[in-house]
Amino acid sequence: MKYIMNFLKNNFAIGIITLLVATASCSFTNTIDPGDKEKEEVLIQLVGQLLKRNHFSPADLTDQFSADVYKNFINDLDPGRRYFLASDIEEFKAYEYQIDDQIREGNVALFTLAYERLLKRQDQSEKIYLEVIQEPLDFDKQEEIDTDYEKMSYAENKAQLKDHWRKLIKLSVLGNYYDKIEEQADLKDQSKAKSEETLKKEAIEEVRKSLAESFDLNDDVERMDYFSLFMNAITTHFDPHTNFFPPRNKDRFDTSMSGKLEGIGARLQKKMDYISVIEIISGGPAWRSEKIEIGDKILKVKQEKDTVATSIVGMRIADAVELIKGPKGTKVILTLKKVDGTVEDLTLTRDVVEIEETFAKSMIIENEGMNYGLIDLPKFYFDMEDRNGRAAGEDIANEIIKLKKQGMQGLVLDLRNNGGGSLGEVIKMAGLFIEEGPVVQVAYPNGRTRIHDDPDNGEVLWDGPLVIMVNEFSASASEILAAAMQDYDRAVILGSKQTFGKGTVQQFQDLNRYITNGNLGDFGFIKLTTQKFYRVNGGSTQLEGVKSDVVAPDRYSYIDLGEKDEQFPLPYDEIPAAEYNRFTGYLNLSEAIKNSQERIDNDPKFQLIDESAKWLKKQREDNVIPLNLEAYKNRLENLENQSKRFDQFEDYKNELSFKLTPADEFATKQDSILKKKRERWQEGLQTDLYLNEAVNILKDLKMKNIKNSNLTLKD
């Protein structure tokens, strides 16, 4: 099974470079601003006070609290044991039980010591890797590496650290080398085959280049970003969703929630000194210009009123992005080095750019002469700054209306991988499917509760058959909607054994409002858990999630995921149920659920998925990887042979037919990028076993009577 082999190889071999890059990219410039320490001292004390005063269930600041925070912070600094020595850890331990006191006093001594030591060790490790990459790698030597780094001891000295780096690099090179040997064996013209020595040199060079790029990223992250690790080691002890956000991180969060930004509409990436275009966002200024290509490098940036352009070669990517983006209607002049090597200036007028992947989308499903609707909702988005901006509730309503115009006889709402979003949007969305009544209950720290009712005065946009698809990554607002529809008997919930289990509500608080000294810059935000939400039946989704009516196995069935697997989650509890009337439109809800579960339990394809999930869990727990080429090869070949029984998934196609609504068909004719995205989505739907069962449930569900309202599309 291809996804299984890729998963294992990425985790155990090739993925080691990702691990190296991830840590290196969190490094910082050696220049320390004297003002940083004062700002950090104010921040830690302020956040500590806000946590104590405003958190739904504040943790006690004790020695045990300190020990937990200390352990997580040090591990976050060096998760792969690639930098710190055992002597560093001994020195840090002097602060292990002092963090609670440091929060009260506004003291950042531990962070300062650990941060400055990390800078020193990173410089040393860069020299070590440059030494190791030049030395011969013996793939005949019988040795292995345990990739469960958290259980690994820190190196006692430079020699031990160098040997650890040698094994890490050897594992990466070995993975690349093995893949090259496999690719070459598949060549039709073996006269073009390269020698094993040449392949080995290429594999080493690829790893060397990746490591060079990762260490080059050191200057792209600031001290404050690293301080965020320390702050979040503190905040997540209160609960996993209470987090500190530096200013730029908050901007990214806002963009993800609203699905829009102001700029040129291009995604950028830095490699070595150059910032390149890696994606052009459909509908944005860059796309409309038709003069920017993927792979173009941006050399200089000039604002409309500037006389001289600013070179961004070698600049931190965050700073470069700040120069390039800007308010709608303003102009920016980019000096581009084109893919063909030519250099030219391009003037773009910035605009509001919508990130299409954020928003709801729909498809018509045709099967056995029936039309069904499918709506995919990636998140419960809303615009924090513009009340008239796009919002999930209204968009879902418009998608339903479009599908109804095409004779939809049943609806599938796909909330798989939907991590949540706006509480207000989910309440509005629930009202599209029920006449009236409570949607969710919210509890406050003082014990008071509030019931949030359907706000639309009895109007129902869709009262026909409804299936909601979920998985282990459906969280928060997704769980509110699924739980409400389940409690009302309004929908059949199809998916994993349970959803994520996040039953808490967060609010952003601007830390700057508490600061009187404006000389220290922007303090950012804290996202604080202030409420818990409960189902209308009184149960919580916290830890327990929403149990699917119809349980279908998937690849993550036996892997620890969700809120219950977090380190410091809030507990499950219950409150009294609200008063509500169940939906009575179905004639055979229980029977349809029973029939679906029997189909899944007796379906060889789902049985095979369950078997593959068990096998995958077992392989993930095998963290010891041989560094001998023959042993490495035998291990992968053995895994591949074991996984062959799952290969039939690669050829699976359901018997459903898909087409766009006329409005979407028209939109794709105007936008080639959107057309390709919709085609890729449709290809994925064609291989979706779970969607096939969702349609089967819709076929089974029998209604007493359907009276759909005649709401019209928004102008």
Side-chain angles (χ1 to χ4, degrees), residues 151 155 182 217 255 267 274 375 381 436 456 565 588 634:
K151 295 179 181 177
E182 289 290 289
L217 288 172
T255 297
R267 289 191 172 99
Y274 290 97
I375 300 177
Y381 50 87
E436 60 182 0
D456 62 12
D565 301 304
N588 65 335
N634 290 339

Side-chain angles (χ1 to χ4, degrees), residues 372-401:
Y372 304 101
L374 168 66
I375 300 177
D376 179 84
L377 182 66
K379 62 183 63 177
F380 288 79
Y381 50 87
F382 67 112
D383 195 323
M384 294 182 179
E385 298 180 356
D386 181 3
R387 287 189 175 184
N388 296 317
R390 291 191 67 169
E394 188 169 19
D395 281 359
I396 290 291
N398 285 328
E399 295 300 328
I400 290 173
I401 293 167

Side-chain angles (χ1 to χ4, degrees), residues 259-266 281-285 350-355:
K260 74 176 188 181
L261 52 83
E262 287 184 301
I264 66 169
I281 299 172
S282 178
R350 299 177 178 107
D351 202 350
V352 174
V353 181
E354 291 191 338
I355 303 169

Side-chain angles (χ1 to χ4, degrees), residues 434 485-490 537 580-585:
I434 60 173
M485 296 301 99
Q486 189 178 60
D487 289 345
Y488 273 90
D489 288 339
R490 178 63 192 90
N537 70 5
Y580 64 102
N581 297 316
R582 294 178 185 270
F583 179 73
T584 58

Side-chain angles (χ1 to χ4, degrees), residues 228-382:
S228 298
L229 285 180
F230 182 51
M231 293 296 292
N232 282 310
I234 294 169
T235 60
T236 54
H237 196 287
F238 284 67
D239 82 285
H241 310 290
T242 292
N243 308 112
F244 167 68
F245 280 70
R248 281 178 177 147
N249 288 13
K250 175 59 165 53
D251 290 344
R252 295 188 194 107
F253 180 88
D254 290 349
T255 297
S256 74
M257 276 295 106
S258 67
K260 74 176 188 181
L261 52 83
E262 287 184 301
I264 66 169
R267 289 191 172 99
L268 309 176
Q269 181 184 60
K270 183 177 179 183
K271 273 203 166 188
M272 301 305 285
D273 285 337
Y274 290 97
I275 292 172
S276 302
V277 176
I278 60 169
E279 184 182 349
I280 297 167
I281 299 172
S282 178
W287 177 82
R288 292 197 299 267
S289 76
E290 299 183 345
K291 293 181 180 179
I292 294 183
E293 301 173 84
I294 293 173
D296 287 353
K297 294 182 174 69
I298 303 176
L299 305 180
K300 297 179 182 179
V301 179
K302 187 168 75 169
Q303 309 305 324
E304 192 174 5
K305 297 179 181 179
D306 290 348
T307 55
V308 178
T310 301
S311 172
I312 63 171
V313 176
M315 183 180 287
R316 296 172 61 252
I317 189 167
D319 293 334
V321 169
E322 286 297 314
L323 287 174
I324 294 168
K325 73 178 186 179
K328 175 182 178 179
T330 60
K331 292 183 178 180
V332 61
I333 299 94
L334 306 179
T335 300
L336 301 172
K337 184 176 183 180
K338 303 290 293 175
V339 175
D340 62 10
T342 60
V343 176
E344 64 179 60
D345 287 347
L346 174 65
T347 300
L348 295 174
T349 301
R350 299 177 178 107
D351 202 350
V352 174
V353 181
E354 291 191 338
I355 303 169
E356 189 269 338
E357 293 91 334
T358 303
F359 304 122
K361 56 183 181 288
S362 66
M363 189 77 73
I364 301 162
I365 304 172
E366 297 176 330
N367 185 251
E368 298 180 353
M370 305 279 280
N371 279 357
Y372 304 101
L374 168 66
I375 300 177
D376 179 84
L377 182 66
K379 62 183 63 177
F380 288 79
Y381 50 87
F382 67 112

Side-chain angles (χ1 to χ4, degrees), residues 9 14 174-184 636:
K9 288 173 75 175
I14 302 168
L174 186 57
N176 282 357
Y177 182 37
Y178 174 81
D179 285 346
K180 289 179 180 296
I181 292 173
E182 289 290 289
E183 289 168 7
Q184 184 157 280
L636 281 185

Side-chain angles (χ1 to χ4, degrees), residues 23 41 59 160 167 284 335 346 365 386 412 553 585 637 641 691:
T23 300
E41 290 171 343
Q160 284 188 11
K167 287 187 175 184
T335 300
L346 174 65
I365 304 172
D386 181 3
V412 178
E637 287 179 350
N641 288 332
L691 179 59

Side-chain angles (χ1 to χ4, degrees), residues 554-618:
D554 63 28
R555 70 182 69 176
Y556 303 112
S557 294
Y558 302 99
I559 295 174
D560 292 338
L561 294 168
E563 187 88 356
K564 65 183 182 301
D565 301 304
E566 297 284 354
Q567 196 172 5
F568 304 110
L570 295 183
Y572 171 86
D573 61 341
E574 298 178 2
I575 63 173
E579 293 185 8
Y580 64 102
N581 297 316
R582 294 178 185 270
F583 179 73
T584 58
Y586 295 120
L587 289 170
N588 65 335
L589 179 62
S590 297
E591 182 184 355
I593 290 172
K594 179 174 176 290
N595 290 343
S596 177
Q597 192 65 64
E598 287 178 355
R599 277 194 300 269
I600 287 174
D601 292 344
N602 295 316
D603 188 328
K605 294 184 288 297
F606 279 114
Q607 291 171 357
L608 199 60
I609 290 174
D610 190 60
E611 186 182 347
S612 71
K614 291 175 181 175
W615 181 80
L616 185 60
K617 174 179 172 60
K618 181 180 177 182

